[in-house]
């Protein structure tokens, strides 16, 4: 039953191929017409980063974050520090500079003016009792005033007395002051905001002072500054690809047609993104480069086969037809598996993954039309080359002879398989070292000595930490936060979190209540306590707000309904190790406090720590789904295509080997799995299927002629092996310029990782697939023949296997 179905499918494809070659001009015209449609949409393509796209929106932490970010602050925070080189900040010149910095940051585009904080900001006020017994407040700093030495000393003492300033906004050694500003994500323009921030920073340059700036908007802004460099890398990459094609082919069609394939596939892919409203994420740019290079590799396979056939038949049109006859099925299969493997990214939790999977999947699939059909059809309508001899026979002979002495023998094939198994065993030890999340402080997107990472390190040295975790205490009833048992529970949760020695500090509403209560009792420290009833707590909160002429004095602590209170915890990094420990501690405290106080809910998690924790947890799930899904779909597609379980396994085998080696490299190089690296891995994993399919199908072709598995694998490596080695070089050329030219460390590291994956995939396909065929002699490989229409078919019965293996 299977054989008739398989025969029907292959002959249907053969008829479709015949129609395509019978109407080359029609098909080419349609391809170019669609290209014009996509090209018309290119001006609408936007290159920008959308922070919300990077977050798993269904995760409970992100749902909490989205609810609280407008009131309590989000993860898009600018943190600036003014550091004095000599003395302390308590001098008129430095305080004036801090004030200028605060005003400059407060005037940035997209700033939430209610969530700007600094020693010199209008919301930083000293609260005290007047002689008449009423609450009053005054700013710590008045820009119109020139302070005396005694007044500066008193200001310093006042800052020490305020736990919300000392250590948090003024460094414990008094050598630096912090300015923080939350940005409104709904109207955030990273480029405009970063440009304005840099202008502010330039105006703050003073002798004896250092200005440090960190935060996610700053990081994203720095990334945007490299867009011009990315365009330069694109130009150099195209030049390198053209050079490789010239060196390899030294023939016009071999150079022009693969480059035309890059152009057409890029127009289709980018045009589709523009039409679908999908933005091009700057950090994901190596992936489109790789897809474009893969389009080139399929074009190279076709042109190589064309010149091979031309040397035999001496007829350009027939050679083009023979090339597509030979590569139509394996090439189509490889492209479809590529596209499906990339499209699997839509299963990721973050919108970024969905958009990338949709766009890159379409781009990968479009290669069937822009390259797989276009190249041989173009060769049928173009003039026939005058030179028909096949060049580079020396390299082909070298590869054939090398395979004849190694994988082409029974002993050599077994040695290759055992060596591959040994590599997997050793590599597994390094695989265990790979972390989910960031593996080092600062940002791996930029070089370690970049201003951003230097500033981050400086701020985290001077202060408790620039990385915030926001945790919300919530009650069902309005005003529930004022209940004394809730206030005490918040403090117990804070104490629980403070058991982590890496926690630099914490801030929450109970601390404010205790300070105000002390002030109402002649500043007697014994009264720094939580009152016994909710009304008194509310009265102290009202007194604090009434003392300030600025509305929203408690906005960063509690919401207007007084049923949500914000707790902020400060850390020095958001490495995977730190986040895992902090989240585990918070979840433990949450369970304990909720059990102790009925009706109180503790919810994680805002701030950069909270959203990164959610992203890491989602990444773990995504990672366990996406990579196996790529392999499972590759297995199913190949198995269905060849109607053979063994075929599916043989295609997945080199992918498994290359994947283990990739993770081993990541563990050795200390590269963490992040929202940026998972797409790179998914795309790289699918590369191996191209090589493996071409090798496997060429071995089947040779078996139909030679009827000897040893001879078949030697011939396959001598022919397809040379094309695969060159296509691997073209794929590496598509990303290698990032290694040497990109100042974005992530892109450079990603290019190294992709290059490693490409080399390993090529070696796995070139060695493991032939060796497996020699040792295990799969029926679908060794039992093949050409039918009456010249279509390669598998024998119906396994009787041919014994004769083929002889």
């Amino acid at each position: 039953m299977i054989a008739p179905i398989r025969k029907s499918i292959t002959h249907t494809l053969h008829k479709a191929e015949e129609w395509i070659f019978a109407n080359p001009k029609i098909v080419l015209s349609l391809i170019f017409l669609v290209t014009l449609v996509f090209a018309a949409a290119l001006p609408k393509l936007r290159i920008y980063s959308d922070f919300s796209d990077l977050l798993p929106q269904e995760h409970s932490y992100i749902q909490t974050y989205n609810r609280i970010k407008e009131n309590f602050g989000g993860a898009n925070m600018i943190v600036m520090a003014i550091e004095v080189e000599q003395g302390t900040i308590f001098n008129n010149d430095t305080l004036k500079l801090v004030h200028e910095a605060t005003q400059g940051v407060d005037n940035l585009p997209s700033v939430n003016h209610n969530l700007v904080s600094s020693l010199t900001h209008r919301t930083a006020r000293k609260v005290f009792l007047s002689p008449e017994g009423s609450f009053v407040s005054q700013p710590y700093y008045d820009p119109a005033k020139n302070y005396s030495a005694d007044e500066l000393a008193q200001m310093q003492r006042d800052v020490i007395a305020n736990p919300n300033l000392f250590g948090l906004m003024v460094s414990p050694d008094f050598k630096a002051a912090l300015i923080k500003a939350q940005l409104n994500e709904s109207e955030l323009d990273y480029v405009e905001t970063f440009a304005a921030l840099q202008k502010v920073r330039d105006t703050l340059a003073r002798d004896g002072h250092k200005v440090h700036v960190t935060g996610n908007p700053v990081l994203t802004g720095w990334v945007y500054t490299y867009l011009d460099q990315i365009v330069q890398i694109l130009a150099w990459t195209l030049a390198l690809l053209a050079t490789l094609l010239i060196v390899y082919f030294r023939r016009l069609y071999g150079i022009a047609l693969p480059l035309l394939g890059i152009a057409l596939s890029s127009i289709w892919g980018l045009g589709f993104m523009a039409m679908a409203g999908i933005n091009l994420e700057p950090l994901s740019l190596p992936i489109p480069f790789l897809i474009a290079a893969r389009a080139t590799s399929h074009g190279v396979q076709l042109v190589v086969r064309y010149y091979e056939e031309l040397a035999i038949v001496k007829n350009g049109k027939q050679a083009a037809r023979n090339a597509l006859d030979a590569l139509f099925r394996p090439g189509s299969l490889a492209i479809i598996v590529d596209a499906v493997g990339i499209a699997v990214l839509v299963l990721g939790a973050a919108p970024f993954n969905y958009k990338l999977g949709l766009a890159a999947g379409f781009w990968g699939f479009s290669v069937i039309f822009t390259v797989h059909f276009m190249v041989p059809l173009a060769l049928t309508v173009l003039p026939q080359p005058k030179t028909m001899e096949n060049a580079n026979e020396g390299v082909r002979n070298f590869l054939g002879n090398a395979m004849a002495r190694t994988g082409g023998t029974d002993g050599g094939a077994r040695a290759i398989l055992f060596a591959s198994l040994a590599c997997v065993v050793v590599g597994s030890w390094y695989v265990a070292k790979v972390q989910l999340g960031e593996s080092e402080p600062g940002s791996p997107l930029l070089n370690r000595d970049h201003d951003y990472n230097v500033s981050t390190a400086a701020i985290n040295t001077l202060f408790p930490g620039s990385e915030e975790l926001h945790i919300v205490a919530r009650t069902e009833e309005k005003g529930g936060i004022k209940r004394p048992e809730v206030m005490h529970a918040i403090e117990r949760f804070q104490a629980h979190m403070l058991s982590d020695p890496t926690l630099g500090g914490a801030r929450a509403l109970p601390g404010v209540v205790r300070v105000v209560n002390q002030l109402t009792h002649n500043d007697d420290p014994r009264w720094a306590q939580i009152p016994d009833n909710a009304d008194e707590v509310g009265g102290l909160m009202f007194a604090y707000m009434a003392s300030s002429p600025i509305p929203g004095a408690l906005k960063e602590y509690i919401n207007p309904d007084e049923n949500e209170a914000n707790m902020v915890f400060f850390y020095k990094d958001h490495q995977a190790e730190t986040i895992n420990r902090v989240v585990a501690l918070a979840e433990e405290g949450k369970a304990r406090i909720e059990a102790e106080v009925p009706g109180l809910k503790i919810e994680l998690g805002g701030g950069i720590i909270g959203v990164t924790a959610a992203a890491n947890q989602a990444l773990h799930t995504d990672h366990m789904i996406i990579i196996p899904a790529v392999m499972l779909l590759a297995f199913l597609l190949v198995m269905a295509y060849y109607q053979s379980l063994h075929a599916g396994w043989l295609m997945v085998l080199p992918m498994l080997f290359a994947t283990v080696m990739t993770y081993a490299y990541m563990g050795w190089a200390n590269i963490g799995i992040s929202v940026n690296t998972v797409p790179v891995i998914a795309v790289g994993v699918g590369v191996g299927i191209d090589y493996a399919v071409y090798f496997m199908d060429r071995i089947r072709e040779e078996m139909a002629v030679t009827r000897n598995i040893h001879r078949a694998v030697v011939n396959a490596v001598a022919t397809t092996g040379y094309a695969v080695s060159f296509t691997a070089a073209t794929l590496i050329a598509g990303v290698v310029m990032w290694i040497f030219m990109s100042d974005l460390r992530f892109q450079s590291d990603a290019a190294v990782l992709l290059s490693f994956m490409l080399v390993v995939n090529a070696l796995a396909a070139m060695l493991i697939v032939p060796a497996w065929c020699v040792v295990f002699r799969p029926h679908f490989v060794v039992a093949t023949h050409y039918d009456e229409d010249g279509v390669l078919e598998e024998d119906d019965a396994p009787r041919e296997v014994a004769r083929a293996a002889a």
Side-chain angles (χ1 to χ4, degrees):
M1 181 66 181
I2 294 177
I5 294 175
R6 182 170 61 234
K7 190 177 183 68
S8 174
I9 292 173
T10 56
H11 280 265
T12 299
L13 293 174
H14 184 67
K15 289 180 180 178
E17 183 188 336
E18 286 183 335
W19 184 89
I20 290 171
F21 262 98
N23 303 277
K25 293 183 179 179
I26 293 177
V27 177
L28 286 173
S29 297
L30 289 173
I31 291 172
F32 286 110
L33 180 62
V34 174
T35 302
L36 290 176
V37 172
F38 283 122
L42 285 178
K44 299 179 183 178
L45 182 65
R46 299 178 63 195
I47 302 177
Y48 69 93
S49 180
D50 187 337
F51 184 71
S52 63
D53 277 353
L54 305 177
L55 306 180
Q57 295 297 324
E58 299 302 316
H59 196 286
S60 61
Y61 293 2
I62 302 304
Q63 291 177 345
T64 299
Y65 168 79
N66 288 336
R67 194 182 73 248
I68 69 172
K69 63 185 179 182
E70 295 301 326
N71 274 336
F72 300 141
N76 275 299
M77 174 186 284
I78 292 175
V79 181
M80 177 183 287
I82 305 296
E83 180 187 5
V84 60
E85 295 179 356
Q86 299 293 330
T88 72
I89 65 165
F90 291 100
N91 64 80
N92 285 298
D93 290 339
T94 301
L95 290 172
K96 182 180 179 182
L97 185 62
V98 173
H99 176 68
E100 289 179 13
T102 304
Q103 296 304 305
V105 170
D106 200 1
N107 290 322
L108 291 176
S110 305
V111 162
N112 185 333
H113 301 290
N114 292 319
L115 293 175
V116 176
S117 53
S118 159
L119 170 63
T120 65
H121 192 257
R122 61 184 181 276
T123 56
R125 307 182 71 84
K126 175 186 174 182
V127 181
F128 57 95
L129 287 175
S130 70
E132 293 78 21
S134 60
F135 271 99
V136 293
S137 69
Q138 65 182 28
Y140 284 89
Y141 176 75
D142 182 355
K145 186 175 180 179
N146 194 48
Y147 290 87
S148 66
D150 289 341
E151 288 173 326
L152 290 169
Q154 182 59 48
M155 186 190 300
Q156 181 172 326
R157 289 192 293 270
D158 292 339
V159 166
I160 294 173
N162 188 339
N164 292 321
L165 286 180
F166 180 59
L168 299 183
M169 303 307 298
V170 176
S171 63
D173 60 2
F174 308 111
K175 296 189 72 66
L178 210 61
I179 300 100
K180 290 185 175 182
Q182 292 282 349
L183 302 186
N184 296 312
E185 291 179 13
S186 59
E187 30 184 276
L188 179 54
D189 184 326
Y190 287 106
V191 175
E192 180 186 11
T193 302
F194 183 74
L197 176 63
Q198 290 297 83
K199 289 181 179 179
V200 170
R201 193 174 182 183
D202 290 341
T203 64
L204 299 175
R206 300 285 193 284
D207 291 338
H209 295 83
K210 296 179 182 177
V211 181
H212 310 291
V213 187
T214 188
N216 183 69
V218 182
L219 174 62
T220 307
W222 278 117
V223 170
Y224 275 105
T225 64
Y226 295 104
L227 287 179
D228 289 343
Q229 184 186 72
I230 289 171
V231 173
Q232 293 177 13
I233 294 174
L234 171 60
W236 281 104
T237 298
L238 291 174
L240 178 59
L241 288 172
T243 302
L244 287 174
L245 292 170
I246 292 170
V247 171
Y248 180 75
F249 284 108
R250 298 187 296 278
R251 290 179 172 184
L252 177 61
Y253 296 163
I255 300 165
L257 291 178
L259 290 178
L260 179 60
I262 282 186
L264 295 181
S265 68
S266 297
I267 291 171
W268 281 44
L270 295 174
F272 174 81
M273 293 180 70
M275 294 173 70
I278 298 174
N279 58 294
L280 192 58
E281 167 66 51
L283 290 177
S284 68
L285 283 176
I287 294 175
F289 276 55
L290 182 61
I291 297 173
R294 286 166 83 168
T296 308
S297 72
H298 290 291
V300 167
Q301 290 280 355
L302 287 162
V303 177
V304 167
R305 190 58 178 259
Y306 168 77
Y307 283 129
E308 286 182 8
E309 296 294 332
L310 184 64
I312 298 170
V313 301
K314 310 297 183 182
N315 182 286
K317 291 186 178 180
Q318 187 59 45
R321 174 64 188 270
N322 291 351
L324 188 59
D325 274 344
L327 299 180
F328 180 76
R329 290 185 298 170
S332 299
L333 175 62
I335 292 169
I336 291 170
V337 174
D338 281 350
V340 171
I342 299 172
V344 167
L345 288 171
V346 301
L347 299 176
F352 165 75
N353 284 331
Y354 178 83
K355 290 181 178 180
L356 182 61
L358 187 65
F362 174 84
W363 193 336
F365 182 75
S366 72
V367 172
I368 286 184
F369 305 100
T370 59
V371 175
H372 203 53
F373 291 161
M374 184 276 293
V375 169
L377 292 178
L379 288 169
T380 64
V381 299
L382 290 170
Q384 179 174 303
K386 294 180 180 179
T387 303
M388 300 187 188
E389 289 74 22
N390 199 8
N392 301 318
E393 288 297 330
V395 178
R396 289 180 171 79
N397 292 336
F398 169 79
L399 289 173
N401 292 332
M403 179 53 64
R405 291 183 174 86
T406 54
T409 65
D410 291 333
R414 290 189 176 90
I416 288 172
L417 295 181
F418 279 118
S420 301
L421 180 61
C423 288
V424 169
V425 171
V426 174
S428 298
W429 187 79
Y430 286 100
V431 171
K433 295 178 175 291
V434 180
Q435 295 186 35
L436 274 167
E438 305 295 359
S439 57
E440 60 184 60
S443 173
L445 301 181
L446 303 169
N447 292 322
R448 292 181 178 88
D449 59 353
H450 190 279
D451 176 83
Y452 176 84
N453 283 330
V454 172
S455 289
T456 302
I459 290 173
N460 286 325
T461 300
L462 291 164
F463 293 91
S466 61
E467 316 285 356
E468 294 185 357
L469 169 63
H470 292 216
I471 298 180
V472 175
R474 181 171 61 86
T475 62
E476 294 299 327
E477 77 278 13
K478 291 184 178 181
I481 293 298
K482 295 183 292 185
R483 290 159 41 198
E485 65 269 25
V486 171
M487 301 291 282
H488 287 298
I490 292 173
E491 289 191 317
R492 289 199 302 278
F493 185 85
Q494 281 184 277
H496 175 76
M497 295 297 290
L498 284 165
S499 65
D500 182 356
T502 66
L503 177 60
R507 186 185 69 212
L509 181 61
V512 176
V513 171
R514 286 181 179 273
V515 169
V516 177
N517 198 13
Q518 176 180 329
L519 286 172
T520 62
H521 293 85
N522 298 316
D523 210 17
D524 186 342
R526 292 175 296 178
W527 284 93
Q529 55 185 273
I530 304 296
D532 295 332
N533 60 77
D535 289 339
E536 288 188 35
V537 171
L540 293 173
M541 291 166 52
F542 176 78
Y544 180 80
M545 289 187 288
S547 70
S548 173
I550 307 300
L554 286 178
K555 185 176 177 62
E556 58 185 321
Y557 295 97
I558 192 168
N559 69 337
D561 288 336
E562 299 179 336
N563 66 337
E564 286 187 341
N566 186 35
M567 295 177 278
V568 185
F569 302 92
F570 301 94
Y571 297 89
K572 295 184 182 296
D573 64 73
H574 57 271
Q575 296 180 81
E577 180 182 356
T578 301
I579 289 178
N580 292 340
R581 184 182 65 253
V582 168
V583 168
L585 191 65
E587 292 289 354
E588 179 187 345
K590 164 186 163 72
R592 181 186 305 171
I593 297 301
E594 288 182 346
E596 293 174 355
V597 183
L600 176 64
K601 298 295 182 184
I602 304 294
E603 299 180 350
L604 285 74
I608 194 66
I609 297 284
V611 299
T612 306
N616 287 354
Q617 291 177 15
L619 270 176
H620 177 73
T621 303
D622 291 352
H623 193 247
M624 293 298 103
I625 294 174
I626 290 174
I627 304 303
V630 171
M631 295 190 180
L632 177 62
L633 287 171
F635 172 81
L636 293 175
L637 286 169
V638 175
M639 180 193 69
Y641 204 79
Y642 288 103
Q643 298 290 302
S644 167
L645 285 169
H646 206 148
W649 162 247
L650 185 55
M651 291 302 93
V652 171
L653 181 63
M655 291 173 67
L656 281 171
F657 174 80
T659 301
V660 172
M661 292 297 98
T662 297
Y663 285 115
Y665 171 78
M666 292 176 67
W668 175 79
N670 198 32
I671 299 174
I673 298 173
S674 68
V675 69
N676 296 309
T677 56
V678 165
V680 172
I681 297 169
V683 172
V685 163
V687 171
I689 200 73
D690 292 358
Y691 306 143
V693 166
Y694 282 122
F695 266 113
M696 185 181 69
D697 222 71
R698 189 58 182 258
I699 294 172
R700 296 178 77 239
E701 286 184 42
E702 296 294 337
M703 276 300 304
V705 176
T706 65
R707 315 307 301 170
N708 182 286
I709 189 63
H710 302 92
R711 188 73 257 156
V713 298
V714 169
N715 290 349
V717 171
T719 52
T720 300
Y722 185 50
V724 164
S725 63
F726 178 75
T727 56
T730 59
L731 286 171
I732 293 172
V735 296
V736 73
M737 301 305 291
W738 298 92
I739 299 175
F740 305 107
M741 295 184 65
S742 179
D743 290 326
L744 285 171
R745 181 157 66 100
F746 165 74
Q747 290 182 336
S748 178
D749 290 345
V752 173
L753 177 62
L754 279 170
S755 299
F756 177 84
M757 295 179 75
L758 293 169
V759 171
V760 172
N761 272 306
L763 291 175
M766 192 179 295
L767 297 176
I768 294 177
V769 171
W772 188 275
C773 291
V774 169
V775 173
F776 295 100
R777 293 166 167 78
H779 179 271
F780 82 100
V781 171
V782 300
T784 59
H785 66 275
Y786 286 100
D787 68 6
E788 64 278 3
D789 294 326
V791 178
L792 187 65
E793 293 281 0
E794 180 181 350
D795 296 341
D796 294 337
R799 64 179 180 273
E800 299 292 335
V801 176
R803 185 162 67 247

